[in-house]
Amino acid sequence: MAFGVSTISAQEPSTTIKRVPVQAASTMDGHEMFTHYCAVCHGNDAKGTGPAAGALKKTPADLTQIARRAGGKFPEVHVQRIIQGDDVVGAHGSRDMPIWGELFKSLRGKEDSQLRVTALMRYIDSIQAQ
Ligand code: HEC
């Protein structure tokens, strides 16, 4: 059974790598995905104070203030493009935020990625400060 040992150790890395995206992809709920993918920087309350926020060059945006900053109307397309990675935030083009569109696409393809980005956008819309 000596070859059995080498088979296990050879397979272990790919098994471990595969398991993470499958678990991460198991929900399409905007709130749950936010907790999973976004809260580390933006905070559970989306106000920009997640545990990783201090390590970033730029402070993560307070996502409850987007509509207010945009003059009262939540800019759906703009927010979707930012999450996806089509638009950079701010005039100077620094991008501390991961390109979620590409990450989600790498999990389950383009259509799935668009559904996720839309669900996240709708969740952010639902938590706008009045
Ligand atoms: C690694 C940290 C990090 C993670 C994780 C992260 N963000 Fe961000 N996000 C930022 C930073 C920093 C900014 C401020 C702009 C910049 O990058 O320069 C930002 C900006 C934004 C903006 C723009 C807000 C505005 O005022 O226009 C949106 C929308 C957003 N993030 C949504 C999300 C969503 C949704 C997720 C999860 C899928 C997420 N972010 C995950 C760091 C992060």
Side-chain angles (χ1 to χ4, degrees), residues 37-102:
Y37 297 120
C38 322
V40 63
C41 290
H42 289 283
N44 276 321
D45 61 2
K47 290 181 190 284
T49 55
L56 300 169
K57 281 192 284 302
K58 258 192 179 172
T59 313
D62 178 347
L63 301 181
T64 68
Q65 300 291 330
I66 295 176
R68 187 175 281 178
R69 281 197 303 263
K73 191 176 183 309
F74 186 73
E76 293 192 355
V77 174
H78 171 71
V79 168
Q80 247 174 299
R81 288 177 63 86
I82 286 176
I83 299 170
Q84 223 157 282
D86 297 338
D87 284 352
V88 284
V89 193
H92 307 292
S94 109
R95 175 94 193 182
D96 278 336
M97 189 160 102
I99 313 281
W100 293 102
E102 292 301 322

